[in-house]
Amino acid sequence: MGAQSIKLIANNKKAFHDYFIEDTYEAGISLHGTEVKSLRMGKCSIKESFVRVDRGEVFIYGMHISPYEKGNIFNKDPLRVKKLLLHRFEINKLTGKMKEKGFTLVPLKVYFKGSLVKVEIGLARGKKLYDKRQDIAKKDQRREAEKEFKIRNL
């Protein structure tokens, strides 16, 4: 099987700012036809979304897929809860990890893998305020170093 093309639809940069991502999983997503057409046009946002495990099934909440313009009566609620498709052993592993203190599931990106829509979810631990400050300080240091480097090389 050859390499499948991956086309990014939406990503959640804020997740990396707010959480330490321990592990990532690729999940399929249960969608309706008009939602897939909207996704093909890039009409998707996962900024405010989160993932929950409920009775052994995984769902994504708050994932906004804009209604397809030509979809009329077939359009679904843009914010409806969508089921994520994972293997049973993956769900069991996630459930076990989430019972540990401070773990949560966050959607990281939505993309097409070939013709299939996939969601990358991350097993994440929340960052404390000082962690965020440390990250910002590191970024600033790196920027300063890059600026110095550019000035020297001119």
Side-chain angles (χ1 to χ4, degrees):
M1 198 160 102
Q4 290 182 313
S5 67
I6 289 179
K7 180 178 172 252
L8 189 67
I9 303 165
N11 69 1
N12 188 356
K13 289 187 183 119
K14 204 173 129 209
F16 292 96
H17 182 263
D18 293 342
Y19 300 97
F20 292 113
I21 308 299
E22 301 286 323
D23 206 354
T24 60
Y25 295 86
E26 182 180 77
I29 183 167
S30 178
L31 295 169
H32 292 278
T34 54
E35 289 174 322
V36 176
K37 286 179 179 175
S38 264
L39 287 173
R40 285 208 187 284
M41 298 168 79
K43 302 258 173 45
C44 175
S45 168
I46 54 172
K47 278 187 181 74
E48 302 299 317
S49 59
F50 57 96
V51 179
R52 285 232 172 97
V53 180
D54 184 29
R55 284 186 239 123
E57 295 186 319
V58 184
F59 297 94
I60 186 165
Y61 295 81
M63 176 180 170
H64 187 280
I65 298 177
S66 303
Y68 182 58
E69 288 105 42
K70 301 177 185 78
N72 55 45
I73 60 165
F74 299 108
N75 279 334
K76 300 289 179 213
D77 171 21
L79 283 170
R80 82 180 175 85
V81 176
K82 296 156 194 73
K83 185 176 174 184
L84 294 181
L85 311 169
L86 285 155
H87 292 288
R88 171 69 44 218
F89 71 89
E90 290 177 311
I91 296 171
N92 292 343
K93 192 173 167 183
L94 287 172
T95 312
K97 285 278 192 186
M98 287 177 64
K99 284 187 177 129
E100 287 178 32
K101 190 176 169 285
F103 277 114
T104 186
L105 288 173
V106 287
L108 301 174
K109 59 186 172 186
V110 180
Y111 53 93
F112 276 104
K113 188 173 182 183
S115 62
L116 303 172
V117 179
K118 298 288 185 181
V119 179
E120 184 176 78
I121 56 176
L123 186 65
R125 208 175 59 232
K127 282 186 181 179
K128 304 281 185 273
L129 186 60
Y130 61 83
D131 290 325
K132 291 182 193 176
R133 284 191 188 132
Q134 264 181 324
D135 281 357
I136 291 167
K138 278 181 193 165
K139 260 188 212 159
D140 288 345
Q141 283 175 338
R142 199 179 68 235
R143 260 193 225 114
E144 283 297 316
E146 284 172 3
K147 202 190 285 181
E148 287 287 314
F149 186 72
K150 276 183 187 167
I151 291 168
R152 266 193 239 135
N153 282 348
L154 289 177

